[in-house]
Amino acid sequence: LPRVGGFKRPFYCYNGWYARLPSLVSAMVAREHFQAQPTDVLLATCPKSGTTWLKALLFATVNRSSHTNSHPPLATLSPHQCVPSLEFSVYVNDRIPDLDALSSPRLFGTHIPFQSLPASVIDAGCRIVYLYRDPKDCFISLWHFANKFRAKDNIELWTLDEFLEHFSNGISPFGPYWDHVLGYWNGHLERPQKVLFLKYEELMQHPEVHLKRLAEFVGCPFTEDEEKEGVVEGIIRLCSFENLSNLEVNKIGRSELAIGTVENSIFFRRGEVGDWVNHLTPEMARRLEEITESKFRGSGLSF
Ligand code: A3P
């Protein structure tokens, strides 16, 4: 496979997208072995688009009980343990797990681009929820995330300029970012009833509207009684950045992922819309906006 960049941990290009070796290998193992069921729900995202939030919201929705506000699994497990990622937690270390015993609907996360999903995902007709986010915020979030790994390994930190150069050229985990979004967008246009599109910024602005949409899409709509009892608001509160990031499991817990052992707190930073203004120069922002405009032109997608 083409190896890219003179990085300490190089990227490889496969089927039009980039990844580091451990996640690429487990993505390939998942592609080979994952047998989707029609009732499965796949939570697909480009890294740093709000995967953790989406996992928590869907897990709490699908497993809701009358005691939503003290939902036990989310209080003691990280959202990434509740909803495992195919390529980061399920198919790692040459493990081929038996997933048949999991109760339905099974929820899985994935960053695998649409064109490389396991064939059974499309064949079985399982549902996909795709969450995307302003690339400027994704970029800043990813820059912080990557530098935390570098700091841990005593590797010189990425400057914003260097990182922007790579990101703009499409070299980012599971990137190019824009192709990732467009791949799922085309999947949505082909099968709108199977691929739901959701924007981080809109979810932040109208969480109730979109949580109800999500619940209907995964076949667990809220009843009128539940709505009256405040179940929707309860789940939103439970999964808020404020609440999740302050739970002990997410403050001091750790998870074993394909990329190594990570502190659960690494998935929580600010959880805001528009933090890019605190980091990007106007030129840097314009560069990302211009790429977004030209890549998304004619697609119906915009920011
Ligand atoms: P920031 O770095 O901008 O704060 P992912 O889960 O895909 O890795 O994305 C991580 C981003 O989502 C981080 O963004 C993180 O802070 C934010 N995030 C995590 N939990 C969240 C929540 N409950 N609500 C909103 N944003 C959240």
Side-chain angles (χ1 to χ4, degrees):
L1 292 177
R3 194 181 144 120
V4 187
F7 315 127
K8 275 245 159 62
R9 288 185 288 249
F11 278 93
Y12 291 81
C13 186
Y14 168 80
N15 208 9
W17 52 278
Y18 295 97
R20 295 214 162 79
L21 212 49
S23 32
L24 181 58
V25 168
S26 44
M28 292 306 94
V29 178
R31 186 172 155 81
E32 186 76 17
H33 293 278
F34 180 63
Q35 282 305 319
Q37 297 174 0
T39 48
D40 287 347
V41 182
L42 220 56
L43 285 56
T45 49
C46 207
K48 304 296 121 199
S49 300
T51 323
T52 313
W53 189 19
L54 182 66
K55 284 182 173 183
L57 285 170
L58 270 173
F59 183 82
T61 299
V62 165
N63 298 289
R64 66 186 183 264
S65 66
S66 48
H67 305 292
T68 303
N69 289 331
S70 59
H71 202 282
L74 272 173
T76 51
L77 295 174
S78 113
H80 296 283
Q81 291 165 319
C82 294
V83 181
S85 295
L86 292 180
E87 68 282 2
F88 283 133
S89 330
V90 180
Y91 293 98
V92 292
N93 301 329
D94 295 333
R95 193 158 49 98
I96 312 295
D98 178 10
L99 305 173
D100 289 344
L102 298 179
S103 60
S104 146
R106 305 184 305 180
L107 302 178
F108 298 103
T110 191
H111 293 317
I112 300 175
F114 190 77
Q115 73 270 23
S116 296
L117 284 174
S120 67
V121 169
I122 306 298
D123 296 345
C126 66
R127 279 160 294 189
I128 299 172
V129 175
Y130 189 78
L131 178 67
Y132 70 121
R133 184 183 191 190
D134 185 331
K136 300 194 288 306
D137 279 336
C138 258
F139 168 75
I140 290 300
S141 187
L142 188 63
W143 177 65
H144 282 286
F145 187 80
N147 273 343
K148 278 183 195 154
F149 277 92
R150 292 203 144 207
K152 206 171 73 176
D153 295 347
N154 277 325
I155 303 175
E156 202 182 331
L157 301 189
W158 289 112
T159 66
L160 212 46
D161 272 324
E162 287 169 325
F163 207 68
L164 180 66
E165 187 62 28
H166 296 309
F167 188 86
S168 302
N169 290 326
I171 305 168
S172 60
F174 303 88
Y177 162 87
W178 299 272
D179 297 10
H180 199 283
V181 180
L182 283 168
Y184 279 91
W185 179 245
N186 290 331
H188 160 77
L189 294 178
E190 273 169 35
R191 302 159 175 241
Q193 71 288 5
K194 294 292 181 195
V195 187
L196 180 86
F197 247 66
L198 201 59
K199 223 186 227 180
Y200 181 97
E201 292 75 14
E202 290 177 357
L203 186 57
M204 194 64 98
Q205 200 176 5
H206 300 294
E208 285 172 32
V209 172
H210 293 291
L211 186 59
K212 286 192 225 166
R213 238 181 108 207
L214 270 176
E216 265 175 42
F217 179 73
V218 301
C220 310
F222 294 104
T223 62
E224 270 183 31
D225 282 349
E226 283 180 313
E227 288 194 27
K228 276 191 213 135
E229 286 162 14
V231 173
V232 180
E233 290 87 344
I235 290 179
I236 290 165
R237 257 197 319 274
L238 172 78
C239 301
S240 67
F241 180 88
E242 186 63 23
N243 186 58
L244 283 186
S245 60
N246 281 309
L247 294 175
E248 196 166 298
V249 60
N250 296 323
K251 268 181 146 169
I252 57 168
R254 289 160 167 253
S255 301
E256 296 294 329
L257 303 178
I259 48 175
T261 305
V262 299
E263 282 150 21
N264 295 337
S265 62
I266 201 167
F267 295 103
F268 300 92
R269 194 181 61 91
R270 294 186 66 143
E272 288 167 10
V273 170
D275 183 43
W276 62 267
V277 294
N278 299 316
H279 296 87
L280 297 179
T281 63
E283 291 73 34
M284 289 170 156
R286 204 169 312 125
R287 182 170 180 189
L288 287 176
E289 282 161 3
E290 280 173 8
I291 300 172
T292 307
E293 226 178 275
S294 87
K295 286 269 195 177
F296 287 180
R297 190 169 298 136
S299 69
L301 286 168
S302 66
F303 279 98

